[in-house]
Amino acid sequence: MYSVQCAGRFVVLCFSALMVSQIAYCKPNGAPIEACEDMSPQHFLKPQSGVCPFTSRLAKDEMWSNGTIEVTLEHDSEDFKGFLMMAFDSTSSDMNPIGTFSSDLKGMGKAIDCRTDGTKNAVTHKDKSPKRSVVATWTPPEDFDGSVVFKATFVKSFDMFWVKQSSSTLRVKRADLGSDGSSGKGESSTTEPPVESTTAKKPSAKSDKEDGSDTTTTRPSQRLQMLLRRLVSWLFTAL
C-alpha cells in the first residue's frame, strides 16, 4: 500500500516537473498569439509590480504619417530574454494595435500579426538568448493623425517579467499628400472661369455685330426713303 502511494506521488511529481518545464520552455521562439490580448507571457504567474528596469526609447518625439521611427527596447546593464511590443492610439483602448513593424530586427526578433488581418502589428523575440538592446522600426497608418504610445512586455526570467510598460508619447501628423496632387489639380481647375468670361464676351461681340448690322440696314432704308420723297416732290413740281 505504501509503495503504491509512493509510486503515485512520484508520478505526480514527474508530471508536475514536465508541465513546468513545458510552460517555461514551450515558447522560446516568441510570444504566442494568445499573449496578444493582454500582452502576458502566459507563465501563469503575476507580473512584477515594481519599477521596470527596461525602457522603450523613441528615436524622436514627432513624425509624419508617411515616415518611419525606430523604437529601442534596452537597458544599460541588465539583459532580458523575451519581449512583446505593440503601438496603440493613446486616446483609445489598448485592444487594437495600429501601424506595422518591419520584419528586420537584425536577428533579435520578428514581426507578428496580433490582429490576424495580415499586418505585422507587433514584434517579439525569436529565441531566449540574453538581449541588451533591440531596435524595431515602426510605420504609422497613412491617414493617422494623433498621439501614439508603444507598450512592451519584458521577460527577464520565468518568474520575473513586466507587462504593458508604456513609452513616451509620439505625435504623428498626417502627411498632406493632396498639396502635390489633388489640390494642385483643383487650383488649376479654378483657372477655367476666365475662359468662361471670354466666352461670355463673345455674345456681346455678336450683339455688337448684330447691332451694327441693324444700323447698317436701317441707314440705307432711310436714305432710300429720302430719295423717294425727293423724287415724289420733284415729280409734283414738274407736273
Side-chain angles (χ1 to χ4, degrees):
M1 183 72 179
Y2 179 76
S3 60
V4 173
Q5 291 179 349
C6 290
R9 290 177 182 178
F10 178 75
V11 171
V12 171
L13 288 174
C14 290
F15 181 77
S16 300
L18 179 63
M19 289 298 296
V20 170
S21 64
Q22 287 297 317
I23 293 173
Y25 297 103
C26 65
K27 301 296 187 299
N29 57 346
I33 298 299
E34 293 78 9
C36 292
E37 184 175 356
D38 57 2
M39 298 189 69
S40 173
Q42 307 295 310
H43 288 182
F44 304 99
L45 296 173
K46 292 183 178 181
Q48 299 296 307
S49 58
V51 178
C52 178
F54 309 105
T55 59
S56 305
R57 180 173 56 85
L58 308 182
K60 46 192 173 183
D61 296 329
E62 62 179 26
M63 63 178 297
W64 294 103
S65 61
N66 58 354
T68 60
I69 185 174
E70 288 186 347
V71 184
T72 304
L73 307 178
E74 62 181 0
H75 191 275
D76 295 336
S77 58
E78 295 186 34
D79 296 332
F80 56 93
K81 294 183 178 182
F83 65 90
L84 175 64
M85 180 172 64
M86 305 180 214
F88 300 93
D89 185 345
S90 63
T91 61
S92 61
S93 64
D94 54 0
M95 297 299 295
N96 295 315
I98 63 174
T100 57
F101 284 95
S102 171
S103 299
D104 183 16
L105 275 76
K106 298 180 180 180
M108 303 296 290
K110 61 183 180 180
I112 61 174
D113 178 13
C114 271
R115 293 194 317 188
T116 63
D117 60 357
T119 59
K120 302 298 184 181
N121 41 58
V123 286
T124 185
H125 58 282
K126 67 176 185 179
D127 58 50
K128 56 182 181 179
S129 62
K131 304 166 184 63
R132 187 70 53 88
S133 176
V134 177
V135 180
T137 303
W138 181 76
T139 303
E142 292 182 1
D143 58 347
F144 184 83
D145 186 273
S147 299
V148 175
V149 172
F150 293 86
K151 294 188 178 183
T153 293
F154 298 92
V155 178
K156 186 175 182 180
S157 62
F158 177 74
D159 59 346
M160 187 174 292
F161 55 90
W162 295 261
V163 176
K164 290 185 178 181
Q165 300 300 302
S166 299
S167 69
S168 58
T169 302
L170 171 67
R171 175 72 174 95
V172 179
K173 297 181 289 186
R174 181 174 180 177
D176 189 9
L177 301 178
S179 60
D180 297 330
S182 58
S183 64
K185 293 180 180 179
E187 291 173 359
S188 63
S189 63
T190 58
T191 58
E192 293 180 359
V195 177
E196 294 178 359
S197 62
T198 56
T199 55
K201 290 180 181 179
K202 291 182 179 180
S204 62
K206 289 182 180 180
S207 62
D208 293 338
K209 289 183 180 180
E210 290 174 357
D211 292 339
S213 63
D214 292 339
T215 54
T216 53
T217 53
T218 53
R219 285 176 183 175
S221 62
Q222 291 176 357
R223 290 179 182 179
L224 182 59
Q225 290 177 2
M226 291 176 63
L227 290 175
L228 289 174
R229 288 175 182 177
R230 289 179 182 180
L231 180 60
V232 170
S233 60
W234 180 78
L235 289 174
F236 277 105
T237 56
L239 293 175

